[in-house]
Amino acid sequence: MITLEVRRNTSLTPAFSTITLGGPELERLKPMGFDQLVRLFFPREGQDGLRMPKLSGDRRASSTWA
């Protein structure tokens, strides 16, 4: 996991934004091909730090995050 900073947040429509991320840890993100998967986790309002979500339920049957 790497921690990045939001450098720019541009609202294009009420439901769509472009977010530019950056920071010193960005160089740890290594390109691994055109189908590379990246997940973004943002702290919720009121949290004092970022917490990784925990998978709830049966992993084979559900991908619900708590």
Side-chain angles (χ1 to χ4, degrees), residues 3-44:
T3 301
L4 300 173
E5 305 160 358
V6 175
R7 297 284 174 95
R8 188 176 346 152
N9 183 351
T10 306
S11 179
L12 302 176
T13 71
F16 189 80
S17 296
T18 59
I19 300 173
T20 303
L21 302 173
E25 292 189 42
L26 185 60
E27 59 188 53
R28 291 183 41 213
L29 181 64
K30 303 294 182 203
M32 300 178 71
F34 293 109
D35 60 349
Q36 182 172 353
L37 175 68
V38 176
R39 291 185 182 197
L40 302 175
F41 299 98
F42 297 95
R44 292 183 178 181

